[in-house]
Amino acid sequence: MLDLQTLRDHPDAVRDSQRARGEDPALVDRLLTLDKNRRTATTALDTARAEQKRMSTNLKNAATEERPRLQQEARAAAERIKLMTADHAALEADLATALRQLPNLIIDGVPAGGEDDFRTLTEAGDKRDFTAEGFAPQDHLDLGRALGIIDMERGARVSGSRFPYLRGDGVRLENAIMRLCQDVAREEGFVPLSVPNLVNEPTMRGTGFLDSHAEDIYFLELDGLYLTGTSEVALVAYHSDEIVDLASGPLRYTATSTCYRREAGSHGKDTRGIFRTHQFQKTEMVVVCRQEDAEQEHERLLHVERRILDMVDVPYRVIDVAAGDLGSSAARKFDCEAWIPSQERYRELTSTSNCTTYQARRLRIRERDPQGSGNRPVATLNGTMATTRWIVAILENHQQADGSVVLPGPLAERAGVDVLRPPS
């Protein structure tokens, strides 16, 4: 959550952040009022407790004839303190609830507005001219069906819509993508973790996914556990309630996991093929670092994502996501969007977010202040290396006129196959 001192010292900046996100700036004023009332109640309660302590001393030293009166006053004071304590606890709870509703403070330079108000930072790679090559590009589902690697019908029969089967070379391709990610992650100094896919409520809430993403999360009511839509949740929470040592530099982790999303708000959107599914594979990166290093680490995560995209030879652009399209935890987010020939537009393949201290405050991840003034929150960042969705961009951008798909070298090496061909 946001630091209360930041809210007190820079309320206009927080209001501006709310407006840029398309959120209500009045929440800032409500929080300031709750904070003021809570602090006033704290002072009054401390004063009452000090007075109670003084009365206790007086009662102990009082003459016999004074004791009945002092005892009556002490009982009245205890009752007042009981009521004041309850009121104080209610104010604390109201303040905590309101604070959880406040998204992270955006970083200067983030574009204001919604999904379509992003800023394009760069474009990379060459789009193929299929007209010059003499054929019209097929979409990934037609290609996948003809190649015998994507089966939507059986998935729908077994689990419902948005649950595809991958088979044969489709599975090998998905595994190759994830292996490539893990190989690059190792070269970039990330420690691999095998993470839980089921987490408890404090973990899910602490990472911010019960705020803006709650409707997309599968919940197992009998167990009180949530299925994660990204290993970011478990990776960030790895150091919850800990004081970490960052003297040797940032902590960098990666995980490949099965992820689950309800896609509750996407009815009728991307229903064809495997672009938006309820279950998929994903390789994620998370960094825990000092607050001062967060923006540099954000650029590093983007570099890693771009490195992998360059290796699979897919045209893409990098965008600075607008404030209204950020999750509640993110202060800034960069997306890499691949060119999808059949749609003639760019679609998101990766994203990387700087969450500053927002998640760390919720999960109580701290470091010893380098200046020697106690402990302070760390910064956390995350970045997608790849997901099953990458198969869409790879099939479409590397398809041939005869319906085959030539895999780029790094994937061919890891999949054990150079060319995907329709079964004879």
Side-chain angles (χ1 to χ4, degrees):
M1 60 187 71
L2 203 62
D3 179 22
L4 265 174
Q5 196 60 50
T6 299
L7 190 69
R8 296 167 190 151
D9 294 344
H10 307 286
D12 287 339
V14 183
R15 291 188 190 96
D16 289 344
S17 178
Q18 286 288 93
R19 292 188 188 97
R21 285 178 174 272
E23 301 284 349
D24 187 1
L27 177 58
V28 177
D29 300 293
R30 179 166 176 258
L31 278 163
L32 289 171
T33 299
L34 285 169
D35 179 46
K36 179 181 178 181
N37 292 344
R38 188 275 309 262
R39 285 190 288 166
T40 299
T42 299
T43 300
L45 184 57
D46 290 344
T47 300
R49 284 170 174 164
E51 176 64 15
Q52 185 184 42
K53 186 175 181 181
R54 185 188 63 80
M55 292 173 66
S56 178
T57 300
N58 290 343
L59 180 60
K60 185 184 300 184
N61 299 324
T64 303
E65 62 273 15
E66 292 291 317
R67 284 180 174 274
R69 179 179 61 81
L70 293 176
Q71 287 172 340
Q72 185 176 2
E73 291 177 356
R75 285 192 292 271
E79 188 62 30
R80 283 196 303 274
I81 289 174
K82 181 179 178 181
L83 294 173
M84 292 173 70
T85 301
D87 289 342
H88 184 270
L91 284 169
E92 288 272 15
D94 288 345
L95 179 60
T97 298
L99 266 176
R100 284 195 294 269
Q101 296 169 3
L102 186 69
N104 204 351
L105 181 67
I106 64 170
I107 291 172
D108 287 345
V110 171
E115 183 178 357
D116 298 326
D117 298 308
F118 59 85
R119 180 185 301 116
T120 299
L121 302 179
T122 189
E123 293 186 10
D126 297 321
K127 303 171 189 173
R128 287 173 61 185
D129 185 345
F130 286 95
T131 301
E133 294 183 36
F135 73 100
Q138 299 184 67
D139 78 355
H140 76 280
L141 183 55
D142 287 339
L143 285 164
R145 281 173 169 159
L147 292 168
I149 64 173
I150 299 175
D151 189 333
M152 303 300 298
E153 290 73 23
R154 287 186 174 92
R157 187 189 311 159
V158 170
S159 301
S161 62
R162 300 186 193 263
F163 283 99
Y165 275 97
L166 296 182
R167 47 176 289 158
D169 286 341
V171 177
R172 296 182 187 96
L173 176 56
E174 182 183 55
N175 290 341
I177 294 169
M178 302 307 153
R179 281 185 58 197
L180 175 61
C181 290
Q182 286 294 344
D183 290 345
V184 170
R186 183 175 65 250
E187 293 172 5
E188 295 283 350
F190 285 78
V191 176
L193 297 181
S194 176
V195 301
N197 291 342
L198 288 163
V199 301
N200 57 28
E201 182 175 345
T203 298
M204 192 66 85
R205 189 174 297 283
T207 47
F209 284 88
L210 289 184
D211 298 327
S212 56
H213 300 281
E215 65 176 5
D216 281 332
I217 297 171
Y218 287 102
F219 177 56
L220 281 65
E221 186 172 1
L222 186 63
D223 305 285
L225 295 173
Y226 296 84
L227 279 166
T228 56
T230 169
S231 58
E232 171 197 340
V233 177
L235 288 172
V236 171
Y238 184 62
H239 288 296
S240 57
D241 291 306
E242 291 183 15
I243 299 173
V244 297
D245 184 2
L246 299 177
S248 300
L251 304 174
R252 301 184 179 98
Y253 300 109
T254 182
T256 298
S257 67
T258 305
C259 301
Y260 305 87
R261 294 185 186 173
R262 294 182 63 238
E263 296 290 356
S266 64
H267 299 295
K269 185 178 181 181
D270 294 317
T271 56
R272 180 173 170 79
I274 64 170
F275 190 86
R276 193 182 301 275
T277 60
H278 293 310
Q279 177 182 317
F280 53 93
Q281 294 297 111
K282 184 182 184 191
T283 300
E284 184 78 3
M285 303 174 286
V286 157
V287 175
V288 177
C289 67
R290 287 178 172 164
Q291 299 173 23
E292 298 81 5
D293 297 333
E295 293 197 41
Q296 179 181 342
E297 287 299 310
H298 200 195
E299 293 291 341
R300 180 188 172 101
L301 287 173
L302 179 59
H303 157 76
V304 175
E305 292 177 344
R306 294 191 63 185
R307 179 184 169 190
I308 301 170
L309 281 165
D310 290 337
M311 292 174 77
V312 300
D313 194 21
V314 168
Y316 66 93
R317 70 181 180 187
V318 181
I319 66 170
D320 193 355
V321 177
D325 201 26
L326 298 175
S328 60
S329 298
R332 185 170 218 158
K333 181 169 76 165
F334 301 127
D335 281 358
C336 292
E337 299 182 329
W339 179 253
I340 306 299
S342 68
Q343 300 181 21
E344 295 188 328
R345 59 174 173 153
Y346 288 101
R347 302 301 305 275
E348 178 197 334
L349 285 196
T350 77
S351 66
T352 174
S353 297
N354 180 358
C355 298
T356 60
T357 62
Y358 192 86
Q359 294 174 321
R361 291 181 187 280
R362 290 174 165 226
L363 293 168
R364 298 169 299 282
I365 308 172
R366 296 149 292 159
E367 66 155 338
R368 290 182 175 84
D369 193 328
Q371 306 303 319
S373 57
N375 302 323
R376 64 172 189 167
V378 299
T380 63
L381 303 95
N382 63 79
T384 306
M385 297 189 86
T387 70
T388 302
R389 180 182 290 184
W390 277 45
I391 293 174
V392 175
I394 290 165
L395 293 182
E396 294 204 16
N397 281 285
H398 294 291
Q399 64 180 293
Q400 306 300 307
D402 63 358
S404 64
V405 175
V406 178
L407 295 184
L411 292 181
E413 175 187 352
R414 290 165 175 81
V417 57
D418 296 325
V419 183
L420 307 182
R421 300 183 188 279
S424 55

